[in-house]
Amino acid sequence: MAAARRLPGVLALVTGGGSGIGRAVCARLAREGALVAVADRDAAGAAETLRALPAGAHRALEVDVGCAESVAGLMALLQAHFSQPASVCINCAGITLDEFLLKQTEEAFDAVLRVNLKGTFLVTQAVARALVASGASGGSIINVGSIVGKVGNLGQANYAASKAGVEALSKTAAKELARYGIRCNTVLPGFIRSPMTDKVPQKVLDKFAAMVPLGRLGEPEDVADVCAFLASEDSRYITGASVEVTGGLFT
Ligand code: NAP
C-alpha cells in the first residue's frame, strides 16, 4: 500500500530550488502532494526543476534572496499565483566563495553573508509575516545551515560564519514564532554531492568521504527526505532543532 501523502495542497516555497539540494527538495515535496514554488536567481535552473516535477500547479519564480525588494516581489507573486501564503518554506539558496582567512577579501565575506544569512533572514521574515497576516494556523520553515557552521572548515571563514548565523537565526525564529504555530528548524548537511561541491577538489572530497562513518558522501535526496519530515506534521513537536545530515561526520 502506498504511503499517504503528507503535504496535500500545501504551498511550499523552496529557495535555491534550481539546483542541487533545493531541486531534490522540490521533487520530494511535490511527491508529498505540495504545490511547489521553485524560487532561484537562476531562472533557467528553476525552470528545469519545474519541468521535472509531477503534474500540478507548481511555479518557477526568479528571486535574489539577498535583496529585500526582490523578496517582497516574490511574496507578491506567490499571493497572486496561489492565493495562499506558503505554509512550508525551505531556504536552500546559498553560495560559497572560499579562500583562506589570511587572503579573504571583505567583498567575498560580505557576498556570502548577504546570500546565506541575510537571504535566509529576509525570506524567513517575509514568509512568517505573510502567515501571521493571513491568520493561518501554522507553518514550517526549514533553513539549510551546514555542519561547517558548527565545526569550521579550512578556507570557509565566511561560509562557516554565515551558517552558524543561520542556526542562531532559526532558533530565535522558533522561539518568537511558536505562539503563531509556526515552527522553524535547521538542517545541517555534511558533504553532499551537488554543483556546489563539484567545485571542491576531488582529493578533498575523497578525504572527507573516507572520514564519514556511513562510508559515502551524501546525496541531495538524503537532505530532501529530512526536509519533508520537518515540513510535515510528523515533526509537529519539533522546533528550534538542528538536524545533522552528515552520515555521522563530525557528530
Ligand atoms: P547549489 O547546487 O549551488 O544550489 C544553490 C542554488 O542557490 C543555486 O541554484 C544558486 O544559483 C542559488 N542561489 C545562489 N544565490 C542566490 C540568491 N541570491 N538568490 C536566490 N538563489 C540563489 O548548492 P547546494 O549544494 O544544492 O546547496 C544548497 C544549500 O545547502 C546551500 O545553502 C548550501 O550552503 C547548503 N549546503 C550544501 C552542502 C553541500 O555539501 N552541497 C553542505 C552543507 C550545506 P546560482 O547557481 O546562480 O548561484
Side-chain angles (χ1 to χ4, degrees):
M1 194 176 74
R5 297 189 309 168
R6 293 184 291 185
L7 299 169
V10 167
L11 176 58
L13 168 64
V14 183
T15 75
S19 180
I21 294 170
R23 176 170 287 169
V25 168
C26 290
R28 186 70 174 82
L29 298 188
R31 287 209 310 278
E32 294 283 357
L35 300 174
V36 181
V38 186
D40 206 292
R41 74 173 171 191
D42 175 5
E48 199 179 322
T49 298
L50 183 69
R51 275 195 295 279
L53 294 183
H58 316 293
R59 290 271 182 165
L61 300 162
E62 202 172 335
V63 69
D64 173 2
V65 296
C67 168
E69 205 181 334
S70 180
V71 171
L74 172 70
M75 300 312 292
L77 284 174
L78 283 186
Q79 190 55 39
H81 287 321
F82 296 99
S83 306
Q84 62 171 310
S87 49
V88 166
C89 170
I90 325 270
N91 282 303
C92 297
I95 60 168
T96 53
L97 283 172
D98 294 353
E99 187 52 272
F100 289 114
L101 177 69
L102 296 181
K103 291 188 185 168
Q104 196 161 103
T105 63
E106 182 180 357
E107 290 72 25
F109 187 86
D110 284 347
V112 168
L113 271 285
R114 177 184 175 278
V115 177
N116 297 5
L117 182 53
K118 183 182 167 190
T120 301
F121 159 69
L122 288 173
V123 175
T124 296
Q125 184 187 56
V127 165
R129 281 178 171 166
L131 277 171
V132 171
S134 76
S137 57
S140 176
I141 299 171
I142 298 144
N143 292 329
V144 179
S146 170
I147 195 66
V148 159
K150 281 182 78 175
V151 301
N153 193 26
L154 295 175
Q156 292 199 309
N158 51 1
Y159 183 79
S162 74
K163 294 299 189 179
V166 165
E167 202 177 351
L169 166 70
S170 304
K171 287 184 185 294
T172 302
K175 289 189 197 306
E176 293 187 11
L177 299 176
R179 74 185 64 177
Y180 304 104
I182 302 170
R183 299 182 293 111
C184 186
N185 292 291
T186 315
V187 292
L188 306 180
F191 287 83
I192 311 294
R193 285 183 201 282
S194 79
M196 182 177 276
T197 46
D198 285 348
K199 287 183 272 184
V200 177
Q202 190 59 44
K203 66 174 186 187
V204 176
L205 291 178
D206 290 345
K207 189 188 88 178
F208 281 117
M211 291 163 64
V212 176
L214 286 180
R216 63 172 175 86
L217 297 178
E219 299 297 331
E221 291 72 19
D222 295 324
V223 182
D225 287 355
V226 177
C227 291
F229 165 70
L230 290 173
S232 78
E233 279 298 293
D234 286 351
S235 60
R236 61 195 166 275
Y237 201 54
I238 300 178
T239 195
S242 299
V243 183
E244 297 180 10
V245 190
T246 63
L249 183 68
F250 300 137
T251 59

